[in-house]
Amino acid sequence: AVDYYISHSDTPLESGDLDKLNENEWTQLYSENTANKNNVIEFKQDDKYVVYARVTDNAGNIKYLCSDGHIIDSRESDIELTALGFLEERNGNNGKTYVYNSSSKTADIRVNINESEKVNSGIKYIKYNLESSGGKDEYVLYSNEKDTPLFPKYSYQDVIKIDTAKYNFSDLKFTLTTEDNAGNVNSKSMYFDIDVTKPQVILEYLDDDSSSISNGNSGCGNDRCGRRDE
């Protein structure tokens, strides 16, 4: 006969641990006396799974087998974005728009990403795009192929600093995208109005007749500022 036991723990079970299981914790997978031989085990819910098989021969000898670990993860990572140090917050067609001016060298965004607390496959990559009338740029914050972590990364925190001089656009769209190792993708966007261009001021000096000064003077050349000598 072949029976199986499913563990949802990260801790592997030894033969002694399996010997201590109650008989009703095992599910029959195959028996020569069973008319309908069911040899398929299905995993449907999000969880971690390790299958332990118990093979018993006609003499009562037992051998244990163990599968690799399996993770079913159908939920994308949670993304939280927070704008920092903005001058003003406006409501627009796309939702909230955050305004920055020349007083800020960078527009800062706090990023907080977390996988599901119950079961997670780990973060595969995190990237963001900056898109405006000036074009589109893409940056990679994290990639398990590039960073090759020893263990899966289940959370990520950072502060992204956008150069306001480089991205001096009133229609800047920031989009962050993350994918986990199970292929679940999630994205979230924010909108910015960045204007670091200082206004140009043109001064024009007029005489009493409101006609422009034509002698080439650009400032006060005598005691009567803005008037020509008679």
Side-chain angles (χ1 to χ4, degrees):
V2 179
D3 305 290
Y4 70 90
Y5 169 77
I6 296 178
S7 171
H8 303 286
S9 173
D10 292 325
T11 304
L13 300 178
E14 303 293 339
S15 297
D17 301 317
L18 298 172
D19 288 336
K20 296 176 183 179
L21 293 175
N22 295 324
E23 191 61 31
N24 59 8
E25 295 183 82
W26 293 93
T27 301
Q28 188 176 83
L29 182 64
Y30 168 81
S31 171
E32 61 182 2
N33 298 322
T34 303
N36 297 321
K37 298 179 176 61
N38 178 20
N39 56 5
V40 177
I41 303 173
E42 293 183 344
F43 303 140
K44 296 182 179 180
Q45 296 181 343
D46 283 19
D47 212 331
K48 301 175 182 179
Y49 298 89
V50 178
V51 178
Y52 293 89
R54 182 182 66 181
V55 182
T56 308
D57 64 16
N58 293 329
N61 299 303
I62 295 176
K63 182 177 179 59
Y64 292 115
L65 301 173
C66 177
S67 74
D68 293 330
H70 303 271
I71 295 177
I72 297 181
D73 180 5
S74 62
R75 179 180 174 183
E76 66 272 10
S77 303
D78 294 324
I79 300 175
E80 181 181 349
L81 302 178
T82 305
L84 305 174
F86 53 87
L87 178 68
E88 182 183 351
E89 178 183 315
R90 299 173 182 167
N91 290 320
N93 296 331
N94 297 316
K96 294 181 179 179
T97 297
Y98 299 94
V99 180
Y100 290 82
N101 62 10
S102 58
S103 63
S104 302
K105 293 184 178 180
T106 60
D108 297 346
I109 306 170
R110 180 186 293 122
V111 175
N112 189 14
I113 299 174
N114 289 289
E115 281 268 79
S116 169
E117 293 182 1
K118 181 179 178 182
V119 57
N120 46 67
S121 57
I123 299 172
K124 182 177 181 181
Y125 71 78
I126 305 168
K127 63 182 180 181
Y128 69 91
N129 295 327
L130 291 172
E131 186 175 3
S132 68
S133 53
K136 183 177 181 179
D137 295 324
E138 180 175 289
Y139 301 90
V140 177
L141 287 176
Y142 170 80
S143 168
N144 62 9
E145 296 180 356
K146 176 183 176 181
D147 300 309
T148 60
L150 184 60
F151 299 101
K153 183 181 286 293
Y154 301 118
S155 63
Y156 182 90
Q157 293 81 35
D158 199 0
V159 174
I160 299 174
K161 296 181 177 294
I162 301 174
D163 188 339
T164 54
K166 180 178 180 180
Y167 294 99
N168 184 22
F169 301 102
S170 61
D171 60 345
L172 183 64
K173 179 182 178 181
F174 169 91
T175 302
L176 185 137
T177 303
T178 180
E179 180 181 350
D180 64 19
N181 291 311
N184 301 302
V185 179
N186 193 15
S187 296
K188 185 169 286 189
S189 298
M190 301 179 76
Y191 298 86
F192 296 88
D193 181 350
I194 298 178
D195 183 1
V196 298
T197 304
K198 295 181 179 180
Q200 294 182 343
V201 178
I202 299 176
L203 298 178
E204 185 177 0
Y205 296 90
L206 304 175
D207 61 10
D208 289 343
D209 297 328
S210 298
S211 60
S212 298
I213 300 174
S214 58
N215 63 0
N217 292 332
S218 59
C220 296
N222 50 52
D223 294 336
R224 295 174 296 169
C225 184
R227 295 170 58 89
R228 287 194 303 234
D229 292 331
E230 299 296 333

